[in-house]
Amino acid sequence: FTEIPAKNNLKRPNYETRDFSLQNKSLKSDFGEDLKCAICYETIYNCVILDPCQHNFCSACLTQYLKTSENCLKCPSCRGNIESLKKNLLLNNLIEKIVQDLPKLQRSKKEYKDMDNKDLISKGYTILPEKNGVYIGFASNDKKEGEGKFIYPSGNVFTGFWKNNKREGKGTLVMQNQNIYEGEWSADILKYAK
């Protein structure tokens, strides 16, 4: 058992003389780069985080990526598999505060409005991994509900409407062998084909 001296010789930084404000030039430039979306290269707006890679994007940018990219189950930054996505409220709140203090990071009101219109993630658009494939689209209580796309492990893809986790309404099933079944679905069964 050794006795710990009452005073140690550790030198602590003098925080009273350091400038941690957002007006500090080095902090300004660091924040600007770290808070950019890897899709649009602008300051992140309505931040969404991917799991497991933890990359962050604008919700509107990620919505468009998920709807249009053939590699939509891969992160746009690292190309790792996407298992889920969710709002990153902590980072979003931090970004909002920083953008208020740094006008050069702000977008125009029109840009914000356009992004709000494109943002489907805030309205329930998500990724639902399942044992028989992955769903990308609107969901409620972890059930497919509304317009979406289901990618089966075989490579078959259904794009259309869902109700209570079943294909319901207009939809198209594209088989890996390029056969296409398009028409009206009811309770997960193709009722009418074009």
Side-chain angles (χ1 to χ4, degrees):
F1 181 79
T2 58
E3 190 174 314
I4 300 174
K7 288 191 172 187
N8 61 35
N9 293 329
L10 293 176
K11 296 233 178 205
R12 299 184 189 269
N14 184 355
Y15 291 110
E16 292 174 14
T17 62
R18 296 187 66 188
D19 182 6
F20 287 103
S21 72
L22 291 177
Q23 303 309 317
N24 179 320
K25 287 184 181 179
S26 67
L27 284 177
K28 270 188 190 181
S29 60
D30 289 347
F31 276 131
E33 289 305 310
D34 291 337
L35 302 179
K36 284 190 176 178
C37 170
I39 297 173
C40 70
Y41 303 109
E42 296 287 337
T43 304
I44 294 173
Y45 176 64
N46 285 338
C47 188
V48 177
I49 189 168
L50 301 181
D51 196 37
C53 68
Q54 302 294 294
H55 285 115
N56 293 282
F57 303 93
C58 300
S59 188
C61 294
L62 191 62
T63 296
Q64 296 307 305
Y65 174 80
L66 292 173
K67 288 188 82 173
T68 61
S69 173
E70 289 189 20
N71 292 320
C72 59
L73 295 178
K74 302 282 185 191
C75 170
S77 284
C78 68
R79 301 292 179 226
N81 290 333
I82 300 173
E83 294 178 12
S84 67
L85 63 88
K86 62 183 174 186
K87 290 290 206 173
N88 188 339
L89 299 176
L90 179 64
L91 185 56
N92 193 64
N93 291 340
L94 180 63
I95 290 170
E96 284 180 1
K97 287 181 172 120
I98 291 169
V99 167
Q100 283 176 354
D101 289 342
L102 299 173
K104 76 174 194 172
L105 298 179
Q106 293 177 5
R107 300 176 190 227
S108 71
K109 288 181 181 180
K110 182 185 180 321
E111 283 180 281
Y112 286 131
K113 185 177 180 180
D114 288 345
M115 292 186 79
D116 286 339
N117 290 335
K118 292 177 183 175
D119 174 12
L120 299 179
I121 293 169
S122 294
K123 298 170 182 103
Y125 200 83
T126 192
I127 296 173
L128 294 177
E130 297 179 1
K131 60 184 172 192
N132 63 338
V134 178
Y135 174 74
I136 303 165
F138 288 99
S140 178
N141 298 322
D142 289 336
K143 288 187 176 182
K144 299 181 281 288
E145 199 71 47
E147 188 177 5
K149 171 170 48 175
F150 193 85
I151 304 167
Y152 298 87
S154 63
N156 299 343
V157 177
F158 174 81
T159 304
F161 291 87
W162 300 79
K163 185 175 180 181
N164 200 24
N165 249 6
K166 296 184 189 282
R167 293 174 285 195
E168 188 76 34
K170 292 182 181 179
T172 304
L173 178 62
V174 179
M175 306 296 281
Q176 189 176 20
N177 64 10
Q178 300 307 312
N179 287 345
I180 299 173
Y181 301 94
E182 183 176 2
E184 288 286 328
W185 298 75
S186 179
D188 232 16
I189 298 170
L190 180 61
K191 296 291 183 179
Y192 164 76
K194 291 183 185 179

